[in-house]
Amino acid sequence: MEQEAFFYRRIKDDKVVCGLCPHGCLITPGMRGRCKVRENQDGKLYSLVYGRLVAENVDPVEKKPLFHFLPGSHTFSISTVGCNFRCRHCQNSSISQYPLLHNGSVSGREHTPHEVVERARDNDCQSISYTYGEPAIYYEFAHDCCELAQAQGLKNIFVSNGFMTKEAVRRLAPLLDGINIDIKSFQDDFYRRVCQARLQPVLDAIALFHELGVWLEVTTLIIPGWNDSPAELRDIARFIHSVDPAIPWHVSGFYPSYKMLDRPPTSHAALARARKIGLDQGLAHVYAGNMPGEGGESTSCPACGTELLDRFGYQILRNSLASGGHCPSCGAEIGGVWA
């Protein structure tokens, strides 16, 4: 299904400039933007993936990862193909890079927003997650799903690279309850070489989503030899702290994938070091992800140290939070979206 796109302007000779993400693609008639799923048709920009889902799953919300968002609940996760990044280490490249790898082909089974919301409700999900690929590139469909979900009492979650224009962020924020954004590195050179993108717009989006009141968590995939130096990890932690020290930071382990097969998996020790760096920089909540049982998964009160949420992987073993997300021992308010 095709849908006229948001955020574009028409210029001479039927060319258009896409304003969805900071790439700002100039697209001539018959051509597509860098995401490969937004096409200029006779001077109008169309999304080619409206409702064309290639993934539908019921996930624990902790898998996003979101640790301070309705813990223990399930979220209905969806995606189309396409992405505005070209990450060499993408762990979902079969989805994100599908049009690039299949001569522009766009796959997926057509759905309406109503069907997505009904599937979420039928599976006892408390939220819908727009995830797997980059949800910004199917912004129009996500937007319509978000509106309907919100009207029916469901929460909306983006799992994103954060590469959106301020206009796109501002239109989305009133419909969004939570977002996890990757900070892939604190080097612009990394973003350019590894992702074919830029760092600063991601940092700007993080600050703006927080300013607009969307619950925010940040993830960094720790890649040996690329972004794992103590200095760089300190820079990331300091930036997060400058926005809000209560923002949870997930430091996750890398596994060789796609075009980055020359690096070893992240060691447990490297994740522990990264977590310690975040805590040392004053972040209240730093989690060592995707290595269950190695510690660093549980939530403690930053004021008194009481363990509040005991986790193993994506499971909540014990939840001691008091009503409204407060520590039962000292009464401190814990940032998040709680039942």
Side-chain angles (χ1 to χ4, degrees):
M1 187 184 305
E2 296 180 1
Q3 177 84 8
E4 188 171 0
F6 298 164
F7 312 117
Y8 79 93
R9 57 187 174 88
R10 187 173 178 175
I11 57 177
K12 66 177 183 178
D13 301 325
D14 284 340
K15 296 175 183 177
V16 301
V17 177
C18 181
L20 175 64
C21 87
H23 287 313
C25 294
L26 173 63
I27 310 171
T28 57
M31 303 302 290
R32 302 182 189 179
R34 196 178 301 202
C35 63
K36 301 301 181 187
V37 297
R38 302 171 81 77
E39 184 175 273
N40 180 343
Q41 298 180 8
D42 299 321
K44 291 185 177 182
L45 189 64
Y46 285 88
S47 167
L48 305 181
V49 290
Y50 187 93
R52 299 190 66 175
L53 301 184
V54 293
E56 303 171 69
N57 292 293
V58 176
D59 291 325
V61 74
E62 286 79 12
K63 190 176 181 181
K64 296 303 99 187
L66 286 174
F67 278 17
H68 290 230
F69 192 102
L70 302 180
S73 70
H74 287 92
T75 186
F76 189 62
S77 301
I78 64 170
S79 181
T80 73
V81 299
C83 189
N84 53 1
F85 276 22
R86 296 282 180 267
C87 297
R88 296 183 60 81
H89 57 296
C90 182
Q91 296 178 333
N92 283 317
S93 58
S94 62
I95 291 176
S96 67
Q97 306 304 315
Y98 186 93
L100 192 68
L101 299 173
H102 294 84
N103 296 316
S105 176
V106 174
S107 63
R109 192 164 62 89
E110 291 190 358
H111 294 68
T112 66
H114 178 78
E115 288 170 338
V116 170
V117 171
E118 284 302 301
R119 288 270 285 152
R121 293 171 64 89
D122 289 347
N123 284 279
D124 296 321
C125 295
Q126 294 185 40
S127 60
I128 298 174
S129 288
Y130 310 87
T131 180
Y132 304 133
E134 171 49 47
I137 60 92
Y138 56 95
Y139 190 106
E140 294 78 13
F141 186 67
H143 175 276
D144 291 351
C145 289
C146 283
E147 281 193 327
L148 186 58
Q150 187 179 76
Q152 297 199 22
L154 295 173
K155 304 292 189 187
N156 290 303
I157 296 166
F158 258 40
V159 181
S160 175
N161 59 32
F163 204 65
M164 287 177 254
T165 60
K166 291 180 180 180
E167 182 184 10
V169 170
R170 290 187 183 280
R171 182 165 180 174
L172 180 65
L175 300 172
L176 210 58
D177 300 282
I179 188 167
N180 187 299
I181 293 180
D182 288 342
I183 297 180
K184 298 177 183 292
S185 168
F186 215 69
Q187 305 171 70
D188 191 65
D189 184 61
F190 177 103
Y191 269 84
R192 292 180 184 275
R193 293 172 61 194
V194 177
C195 309
Q196 296 184 27
R198 290 177 287 124
L199 170 62
Q200 190 59 50
V202 177
L203 304 183
D204 293 343
I206 287 172
L208 185 54
F209 271 118
H210 181 268
E211 176 188 323
L212 295 173
V214 179
W215 177 251
L216 173 71
E217 303 192 21
V218 171
T219 296
T220 300
L221 189 71
I222 308 297
I223 306 174
W226 271 105
N227 64 353
D228 59 344
S229 73
E232 181 165 2
L233 294 172
R234 278 194 295 271
D235 285 343
I236 295 173
R238 286 170 180 165
F239 168 76
I240 297 170
H241 188 280
S242 74
V243 178
D244 188 340
I247 294 172
W249 186 29
H250 301 264
V251 289
S252 298
F254 163 83
Y255 295 92
S257 58
Y258 192 39
K259 296 181 178 181
M260 193 177 283
L261 303 175
D262 61 335
R263 302 284 160 164
T266 312
S267 69
H268 294 185
L271 285 188
R273 284 194 299 271
R275 180 171 184 266
K276 184 177 185 302
I277 286 170
L279 294 172
D280 287 347
Q281 296 305 311
L283 295 180
H285 305 285
V286 186
Y287 299 105
N290 69 6
M291 291 186 178
E294 293 300 318
E297 299 171 292
S298 295
T299 299
S300 297
C301 174
C304 71
T306 298
E307 187 175 272
L308 304 172
L309 287 152
D310 183 18
R311 295 184 184 84
F312 181 85
Y314 304 134
Q315 293 182 304
I316 302 294
L317 304 181
R318 182 173 57 86
N319 184 345
S320 301
L321 275 170
S323 177
H326 290 83
C327 174
S329 298
C330 71
E333 183 177 357
I334 309 301
V337 176
W338 313 111

